[in-house]
């Protein structure tokens, strides 16, 4: 699948826009003995993202990309990925949609975590919509990224029960804890063949 570094490891990049909660769980996983990745690069579209500060503090190459011009931004990111021999991108709360051209030109795999049980509730405001529709369960999904929003092949999913007094904030908090657990498992799963 990819050029291996050391003992069956590949270079990985995490793309973020915010606090970097899933970035931290991927970072912890990368430090484990049986991990399949070396977390080499963090890309953020926001200078103020707390996740970017965490990455810098932990000596991970960190690039803040100006997204005023998407074509220019993606060109810059692709060149960065190539330079650092990145073979896996983990989108973790990255609030930009990657273009078809970017996906086609990246020579590796791209995965994403989404806070719903896909294919239900693609896109934004998932928790509000789940509660409004009086669902019994929600959850999160790690999936491959393809040209359609939140539509790639599912790698791993986990359910979370809804309660009568749930608010979008309460539900988000519970689901985020599960996201932090299943994202590293999903990475391990797709790379266990190398």
């Amino acid at each position: 699948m990819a050029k291996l570094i050391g003992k069956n490891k590949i270079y990985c990049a995490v793309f973020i826009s915010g606090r970097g909660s899933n970035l931290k769980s991927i970072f912890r996983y990368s430090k484990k003995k049986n991990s399949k990745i070396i977390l080499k690069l963090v890309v953020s579209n926001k200078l103020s993202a707390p996740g970017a500060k965490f990455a810098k503090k932990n000596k991970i190459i960190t690039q803040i990309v100006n997204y005023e011009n998407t074509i220019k931004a993606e060109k810059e990111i692709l060149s960065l990925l190539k330079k650092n021999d990145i073979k896996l991108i983990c989108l973790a709360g990255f609030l930009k949609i990657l273009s078809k051209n970017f996906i086609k030109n990246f020579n590796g795999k791209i995965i994403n975590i989404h806070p719903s049980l896909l294919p239900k509730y693609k896109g934004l405001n998932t928790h509000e919509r789940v509660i409004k529709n009086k669902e019994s369960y929600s959850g999160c999904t790690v999936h491959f990224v393809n040209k359609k929003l939140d539509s790639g092949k599912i790698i791993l999913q986990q359910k979370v029960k809804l309660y009568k007094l749930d608010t979008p904030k309460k539900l988000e908090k519970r689901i985020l804890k599960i996201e932090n657990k299943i994202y590293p498992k999903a990475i391990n799963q797709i790379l266990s063949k190398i």
Side-chain angles (χ1 to χ4, degrees), residues 34 54 59 78-79 114 192:
N34 65 341
F54 170 84
K59 297 177 174 54
L78 281 167
S79 143
H114 183 75
S192 59

Side-chain angles (χ1 to χ4, degrees), residues 47-75:
L47 183 63
S48 60
K53 290 185 178 80
F54 170 84
K56 283 177 186 165
K57 199 175 125 187
N58 286 283
K59 297 177 174 54
I60 304 162
I61 300 165
T62 309
Q63 186 71 30
I64 310 297
V65 178
N66 181 340
Y67 251 86
E68 269 175 55
N69 179 329
T70 303
I71 294 168
K72 206 175 154 193
E74 289 196 338
K75 210 175 165 185

Side-chain angles (χ1 to χ4, degrees), residues 149-163:
L149 181 69
D150 297 329
S151 298
K153 189 181 169 203
I154 291 168
I155 302 161
L156 213 54
Q157 270 186 332
Q158 194 164 324
K159 275 183 180 179
V160 171
K161 191 172 167 39
L162 260 78
Y163 300 109

Side-chain angles (χ1 to χ4, degrees), residues 26-121:
I26 293 167
F27 175 74
R28 285 193 297 271
Y29 162 72
S30 77
K31 295 293 176 193
K32 288 185 176 176
K33 208 171 143 184
N34 65 341
S35 156
K36 304 281 178 195
I37 60 164
I38 292 170
L39 179 47
K40 192 174 183 189
L41 174 69
V42 168
V43 171
S44 175
N45 64 310
K46 288 188 178 173
L47 183 63
S48 60
K53 290 185 178 80
F54 170 84
K56 283 177 186 165
K57 199 175 125 187
N58 286 283
K59 297 177 174 54
I60 304 162
I61 300 165
T62 309
Q63 186 71 30
I64 310 297
V65 178
N66 181 340
Y67 251 86
E68 269 175 55
N69 179 329
T70 303
I71 294 168
K72 206 175 154 193
E74 289 196 338
K75 210 175 165 185
E76 183 188 334
I77 296 168
L78 281 167
S79 143
L80 199 62
L81 296 169
K82 202 172 178 182
K83 190 177 136 192
N84 287 287
D85 198 24
I86 302 295
K87 295 298 175 197
L88 176 70
I89 296 172
C90 299
L91 303 178
F94 186 60
L95 299 175
K96 294 287 174 189
I97 293 169
L98 298 173
S99 71
K100 291 174 185 175
N101 188 53
F102 182 96
I103 294 164
K104 193 178 83 183
N105 281 293
F106 172 62
N107 184 25
K109 293 187 183 304
I110 308 173
I111 62 176
N112 181 43
I113 191 148
H114 183 75
S116 80
L117 295 172
L118 291 175
K120 281 182 157 188
Y121 303 104

Side-chain angles (χ1 to χ4, degrees), residues 115-172:
S116 80
L117 295 172
L118 291 175
K120 281 182 157 188
Y121 303 104
K122 296 172 182 176
L124 298 172
N125 308 316
T126 52
H127 308 307
E128 287 86 344
R129 290 186 285 148
V130 162
I131 290 169
K132 195 180 167 191
N133 290 341
K134 295 182 169 47
E135 296 279 4
S136 305
Y137 290 94
S138 186
C140 50
T141 307
V142 183
H143 64 95
F144 286 108
V145 172
N146 64 11
K147 291 166 190 174
K148 286 185 182 170
L149 181 69
D150 297 329
S151 298
K153 189 181 169 203
I154 291 168
I155 302 161
L156 213 54
Q157 270 186 332
Q158 194 164 324
K159 275 183 180 179
V160 171
K161 191 172 167 39
L162 260 78
Y163 300 109
K164 272 185 185 169
L165 297 174
D166 263 335
T167 62
K169 272 269 174 277
K170 281 182 184 173
L171 184 57
E172 180 191 13

